[in-house]
Amino acid sequence: SMGVYSIVLGGWASNSKYSLIGGMRGAAQMISYELPMAVSLAGVVLLAGSFRLTDIVNAQSKLWYCLLQPVGFVIFTIAGIAEARRSPFDLPEADSELVGGYHTEYSSMKFALFFMGEYLDVILISAMVTTLYLGGWHGPVLPPVVWFIVKMFAVIFLFIWSRAVLPRYRFDQLMGFGWKLLLPLSLVNVVVTGAAMLAMR
């Protein structure tokens, strides 16, 4: 969530209406998708009984949470793609509307830093999905670090594949999807998870 400040300030400092709109879109998108992302994470914490990432991974030694929490897994992954501003949620840099969005006026190293930040987002979110839902470093035969990297690159492939095959949303569709579908679904997921755990006691 700290990364959005660079987008908003970078868009504002460009003194370009396209960049400013791109920065504002980035902030609105972050607010819309941060909530379902955090709420879907609550289901994982309930199952693991801990906020520690090592405890969450160790709790998945027999069964991954993507199987126990399929709705949370899908919501977290979609929200992660939106957080990284990747297609089909790349409205802050929509070429057809905003020329290049918040980085329209940037070139050379400043432009490269924006894009390196975007790809670091992709790697970080892929590592989070692997840790929270795909069993982290657990797996047969291969060393733990190899399993983690393989799973992480599978999620990175999903990011790149979605950019190649999915069309971009309109901005009103993007906001509606976050607030009207993902957020209520994530809340229902937490309630159902809590009720199931209570019933199992």
Side-chain angles (χ1 to χ4, degrees):
S1 47
M2 291 297 288
V4 78
Y5 289 114
S6 63
I7 293 166
V8 173
L9 292 173
W12 170 77
S14 296
N15 200 24
S16 162
K17 60 184 177 184
Y18 299 116
S19 300
L20 180 61
I21 292 169
M24 294 296 109
R25 281 185 175 187
Q29 186 167 313
M30 188 275 294
I31 293 164
S32 302
Y33 286 85
E34 193 89 4
L35 278 171
M37 194 182 209
V39 174
S40 64
L41 181 59
V44 169
V45 172
L46 280 170
L47 288 174
S50 173
F51 279 98
R52 290 184 63 195
L53 296 179
T54 50
D55 292 345
I56 290 170
V57 172
N58 290 330
Q60 298 177 73
S61 58
K62 293 181 180 175
L63 192 63
W64 295 356
Y65 283 163
C66 63
L67 301 173
L68 290 173
Q69 286 277 296
V71 175
F73 170 62
V74 170
I75 290 170
F76 191 90
T77 306
I78 291 171
I81 293 170
E83 287 285 304
R85 300 171 302 282
R86 299 285 294 181
S87 185
F89 304 104
D90 58 343
L91 270 296
E93 52 189 80
D95 302 354
S96 56
E97 306 162 38
L98 302 181
V99 186
Y102 57 90
H103 51 66
T104 300
E105 302 296 328
Y106 293 97
S107 62
S108 69
M109 197 58 197
K110 291 175 183 174
F111 181 82
L113 286 170
F114 271 119
F115 266 80
M116 282 194 290
E118 183 176 311
Y119 280 94
L120 280 172
D121 262 352
V122 170
I123 293 166
L124 176 64
I125 290 162
S126 300
M128 286 173 66
V129 170
T130 301
T131 303
L132 299 170
Y133 292 97
L134 300 180
W137 51 82
H138 289 297
V141 185
L142 297 175
V145 68
V146 174
W147 271 116
F148 190 87
I149 290 168
V150 166
K151 291 173 187 178
M152 194 174 77
F153 271 93
V155 182
I156 291 170
F157 173 80
L158 177 68
F159 272 82
I160 295 166
W161 174 81
S162 68
R163 188 181 184 95
V165 299
L166 296 174
R168 183 183 292 126
Y169 282 98
R170 284 200 325 260
F171 193 66
D172 60 312
Q173 292 173 329
L174 174 98
M175 299 297 284
F177 185 63
W179 288 107
K180 295 177 184 176
L181 184 65
L182 290 190
L183 184 59
L185 263 180
S186 61
L187 290 167
V188 168
N189 181 58
V190 171
V191 171
V192 169
T193 303
M197 290 191 69
L198 200 62
M200 287 169 65
R201 282 186 177 179

